[in-house]
Amino acid sequence: MIENYYLFSPPDNDTALKITHKNVTIRNVVIHHAANSRGIYFWDADGLTIENVEVIAYGVHESGPMPCPSRSPFNGYNCNNIFGYNSENLTIKNVRVEGGSKGISIQECEGAKLENVIAKNVRGPYPAG
């Protein structure tokens, strides 16, 4: 369990928080990650719960955000606040994301439940945003 925590990820980190275990709960957490990186990244994390969490990309200015790297795994547009795949029974509840190229992106997550999600300034570029 990751609970009651503030995480600031420096601009040279690709990902603020990686989850690769089953039945993890992230609750009452605030994450600030650079706009050219990812906030939460998970895979093979069956039973993951993300609840009462804010994931905010910093470095998003009126003149434009820090560019998303063209190298893999970002490919110029995958600087997401939350990104995950191949995780059954995922729960995302009471979550606010801001400034990512995609707010929340989940793939191959059978039984996923999302409730009370707010996304602000989801910026792209295409095919994100």
Side-chain angles (χ1 to χ4, degrees):
M1 176 171 305
I2 301 166
E3 189 170 27
N4 302 323
Y5 194 72
Y6 171 75
L7 175 62
F8 175 84
S9 182
D12 57 347
N13 260 5
D14 280 353
T15 303
L17 182 60
K18 291 181 188 177
I19 305 295
T20 60
H21 297 283
K22 297 184 184 334
N23 300 312
V24 172
T25 297
I26 304 168
R27 181 178 295 129
N28 302 328
V29 171
V30 174
I31 297 172
H32 284 112
H33 68 95
N36 63 350
S37 68
R38 297 180 290 206
I40 298 173
Y41 178 57
F42 62 88
W43 71 96
D44 293 330
D46 295 350
L48 174 63
T49 298
I50 302 172
E51 184 175 14
N52 302 331
V53 171
E54 288 186 0
V55 184
I56 301 166
Y58 64 85
V60 179
H61 305 287
E62 286 182 25
S63 59
M66 295 182 283
C68 194
S70 58
R71 65 179 167 79
S72 184
F74 301 106
N75 302 318
Y77 60 88
N78 277 322
C79 291
N80 310 318
N81 296 113
I82 299 174
F83 175 69
Y85 64 95
N86 196 32
S87 300
E88 293 182 4
N89 300 314
L90 166 69
T91 300
I92 298 176
K93 182 177 181 179
N94 300 328
V95 170
R96 179 167 107 54
V97 295
E98 182 175 340
S101 55
K102 295 179 188 173
I104 299 173
S105 178
I106 55 174
Q107 300 170 8
E108 300 178 26
C109 293
E110 187 174 324
K113 298 175 188 171
L114 282 76
E115 179 182 334
N116 195 25
V117 172
I118 297 171
K120 182 178 175 185
N121 193 23
V122 179
R123 57 185 168 78
Y126 178 84

